[in-house]
């Protein structure tokens, strides 16, 4: 079975540009998580959805960040406008949506804002 | 709010030795779950082992086992007969139980290197 699929794997862009990160959940999973990993702050949960509904967005840094689930198997994380401090590895994970179920992570997108 | 502390930023051991990674957490909750995730150089996060707080028996997965001390809020990971493929960052994580929120709180990680 295919795991969580993220695209692109790497993204380099100039500050001020719009960035869109994409994630495809594992089939049958109904919880979706977006994480950001940096050296300074480690792994932080940005937002998570259950059955397409945002449950906890307390980690979204500011209005420049937005996340959507246009359908049950796909999500986007958008940054507009991007800033150099947004440079990080962004992970998407999915789970079966029940407590104790493991979260399955994608390979991450390494984002560099110049 | 919950916090997870991993006090060992880096560790290294010889291949085939046993190594223990420490993790402590702070919570006022009584029911929760604890996890260890591994992040090899390939970057993908992989679940290693998990523990339910209400279970006294320590979880075991092949060469990986935990020492869960609820009163001390400690959750260490023991890797026996270490292998080169165990080289990775290891993250301890906490999840509260019962309110439907699946939020994971991660520690800062321990970089483990297995020396040939």
């Amino acid at each position: 079975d295919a795991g969580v699929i993220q695209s692109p794997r790497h993204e380099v862009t100039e500050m001020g540009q719009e960035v869109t990160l994409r994630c495809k959940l594992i089939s049958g999973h109904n919880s979706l998580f977006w994480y950001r990993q940096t050296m300074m702050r480690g792994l932080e949960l940005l937002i998570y959805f259950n059955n397409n509904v945002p449950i906890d967005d307390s980690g979204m840094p500011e209005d420049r960040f937005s996340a959507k689930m246009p359908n049950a198997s796909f999500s986007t994380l958008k940054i507009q406008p991007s800033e150099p401090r947004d440079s990080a590895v962004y992970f998407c994970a999915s789970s079966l949506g029940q407590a104790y179920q493991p979260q399955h992570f994608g390979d991450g997108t390494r984002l560099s804002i110049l | 709010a919950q916090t997870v502390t991993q006090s060992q930023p880096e560790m290294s051991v010889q291949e085939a030795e046993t190594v223990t990674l420490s993790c402590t957490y702070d919570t006022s909750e009584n029911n929760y779950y604890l996890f260890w995730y591994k992040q090899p150089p390939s970057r993908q996060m992989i679940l290693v082992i998990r523990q339910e707080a209400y279970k006294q028996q320590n979880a075991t997965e092949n060469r990986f086992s935990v020492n869960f001390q609820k009163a001390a809020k400690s959750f260490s990971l023991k890797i026996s007969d270490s292998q080169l493929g165990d080289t990775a960052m290891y993250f301890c994580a906490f999840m509260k139980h019962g309110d439907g929120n699946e939020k994971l709180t991660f520690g800062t990680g321990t970089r483990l290197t297995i020396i040939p």
Side-chain angles (χ1 to χ4, degrees):
Chain A
D1 286 342
V4 173
I5 300 172
Q6 289 187 247
S7 63
R9 185 139 169 90
H10 305 276
E11 174 91 9
V12 180
T13 192
E14 293 186 348
M15 66 177 292
Q17 298 297 307
E18 178 180 287
V19 173
T20 299
L21 309 182
R22 296 174 175 81
C23 175
K24 184 176 186 302
L25 285 68
I26 292 173
S27 177
H29 284 192
N30 53 21
S31 284
L32 180 283
F33 307 82
W34 282 104
Y35 291 91
R36 178 172 66 178
Q37 185 177 34
T38 61
M39 289 293 292
M40 292 295 294
R41 300 173 67 91
L43 261 167
E44 304 172 279
L45 178 68
L46 299 177
I47 186 170
Y48 101 83
F49 296 83
N50 181 261
N51 291 321
N52 299 10
V53 176
I55 302 299
D56 187 334
D57 65 354
S58 59
M60 292 289 265
E62 49 199 271
D63 292 345
R64 295 185 299 106
F65 285 67
S66 63
K68 292 182 180 179
M69 284 197 74
N71 60 58
S73 61
F74 184 74
S75 177
T76 59
L77 177 67
K78 191 168 292 189
I79 309 172
Q80 167 62 22
S82 57
E83 296 181 4
R85 61 192 169 119
D86 302 330
S87 298
V89 178
Y90 290 81
F91 286 98
C92 173
S94 72
S95 79
L96 286 169
Q98 299 154 14
Y100 195 57
Q101 292 297 326
Q103 295 179 16
H104 298 263
F105 285 73
D107 289 342
T109 294
R110 182 176 295 280
L111 178 63
S112 298
I113 308 297
L114 306 177
Chain B
Q2 284 69 230
T3 59
V4 178
T5 302
Q6 294 179 250
S7 59
Q8 305 150 311
E10 294 188 22
M11 295 185 73
S12 59
V13 294
Q14 294 289 141
E15 190 177 4
E17 288 187 351
T18 294
V19 61
T20 299
L21 310 182
S22 66
C23 172
T24 58
Y25 55 93
D26 187 23
T27 184
S28 58
E29 302 291 329
N30 189 48
N31 292 323
Y32 48 87
Y33 306 107
L34 296 163
F35 304 81
W36 277 98
Y37 277 85
K38 167 184 176 181
Q39 187 178 37
S42 64
R43 207 167 73 195
Q44 189 179 29
M45 295 283 287
I46 303 163
L47 178 68
V48 175
I49 198 165
R50 54 184 169 172
Q51 175 84 38
E52 296 152 290
Y54 66 85
K55 287 188 176 178
Q56 292 187 339
Q57 186 173 9
N58 289 322
T60 299
E61 289 286 343
N62 301 313
R63 297 183 296 108
F64 298 87
S65 61
V66 298
N67 183 2
F68 173 49
Q69 301 290 328
K70 191 172 183 180
K73 295 180 182 175
S74 171
F75 184 61
S76 61
L77 174 69
K78 185 170 84 170
I79 306 174
S80 304
D81 185 26
S82 58
Q83 301 174 359
L84 297 179
D86 296 334
T87 292
M89 284 286 290
Y90 287 81
F91 294 92
C92 179
F94 174 102
M95 179 191 292
K96 197 167 66 170
H97 169 69
D99 64 357
N101 192 321
E102 297 174 70
K103 179 176 181 176
L104 274 174
T105 301
F106 285 90
T108 52
T110 296
R111 184 178 301 280
L112 175 65
T113 302
I114 308 300
I115 303 166

